[in-house]
Amino acid sequence: MKIGELVKRHGVSVDTIRFYEKQKLLSPSARSEAGYRLYNEADSQRLGFILRAKSVGFSLQQIRELLQIEDNKSEWQCADVKDKVQHKMQDIEQQIAELRRFHQALQQLDDACCGGPLSATECSILAALEKGQPVKPEHHHQERTSC
């Protein structure tokens, strides 16, 4: 099949397929006499594997490693694949923890600011970011002259 058929089958762009080719994750099985890339069913299955691995968060390098296992299954153990999944889950758990810290810090900044129509010259968020000082939540008063 030509690249256009592969694109339609998997719902990706031509650029995506070419990117995976440049990354040496996918290659056409052959070329036509006119120079068109030709893909077979195994190539389509490989692209599906790449896309599914990407959809659960694996990086290109991790996908490359999984493809090496996929291409040489008899040389690997199921435990090797499970180990890769467990490492990925640990990475994601660390990212989640970091995102929670970001959220908490942003919430403190948000809570400290009145968000009113006053000039940003006295903005508590900007002051905290400039000075690196912790922010304290402010009480929202109508007569307030600064945030």
Side-chain angles (χ1 to χ4, degrees):
M1 71 187 88
K2 291 182 183 175
I3 197 167
E5 295 172 64
L6 201 59
V7 163
K8 287 178 188 173
R9 183 182 282 194
H10 292 280
V12 296
S13 69
V14 170
D15 289 338
T16 297
I17 293 172
R18 288 184 180 149
F19 175 76
Y20 291 143
E21 288 177 4
K22 287 178 187 172
Q23 296 298 313
K24 309 272 190 235
L25 298 175
L26 181 69
S27 61
S29 298
R31 291 227 180 225
S32 70
E33 289 181 20
Y36 293 111
R37 294 171 171 91
L38 297 176
Y39 302 90
N40 61 25
E41 190 58 36
D43 299 325
S44 179
Q45 289 175 359
R46 187 175 185 89
L47 177 59
F49 183 100
I50 293 166
L51 295 172
R52 285 186 293 280
K54 184 177 178 289
S55 76
V56 296
F58 284 109
S59 69
L60 290 179
Q61 180 56 39
Q62 292 164 332
I63 292 170
R64 189 173 284 108
E65 293 168 6
L66 288 170
L67 285 168
Q68 289 173 350
I69 295 171
E70 173 70 11
D71 292 342
N72 301 292
K73 290 178 185 176
S74 63
E75 297 175 20
W76 297 86
Q77 295 178 354
C78 191
D80 298 320
V81 181
K82 184 173 178 123
D83 186 54
K84 293 194 179 296
V85 168
Q86 288 175 337
H87 282 313
K88 186 62 184 179
M89 288 190 310
Q90 288 171 349
D91 291 346
I92 290 171
E93 288 167 5
Q94 290 172 352
Q95 290 172 345
I96 290 169
E98 184 176 17
L99 288 171
R100 284 190 177 125
R101 286 191 299 275
F102 289 160
H103 185 270
Q104 184 178 23
L106 288 168
Q107 187 66 58
Q108 289 174 346
L109 289 172
D110 184 62
D111 290 346
C113 181
C114 67
L118 301 173
S119 167
T121 57
E122 300 297 322
C123 179
S124 60
I125 294 173
L126 295 176
L129 293 173
E130 287 172 2
K131 298 173 184 162
Q133 297 174 343
V135 294
K136 295 178 184 162
E138 298 286 337
H139 297 287
H140 300 281
H141 296 292
Q142 296 284 7
E143 67 276 358
R144 186 180 208 148
T145 58
S146 70
C147 247

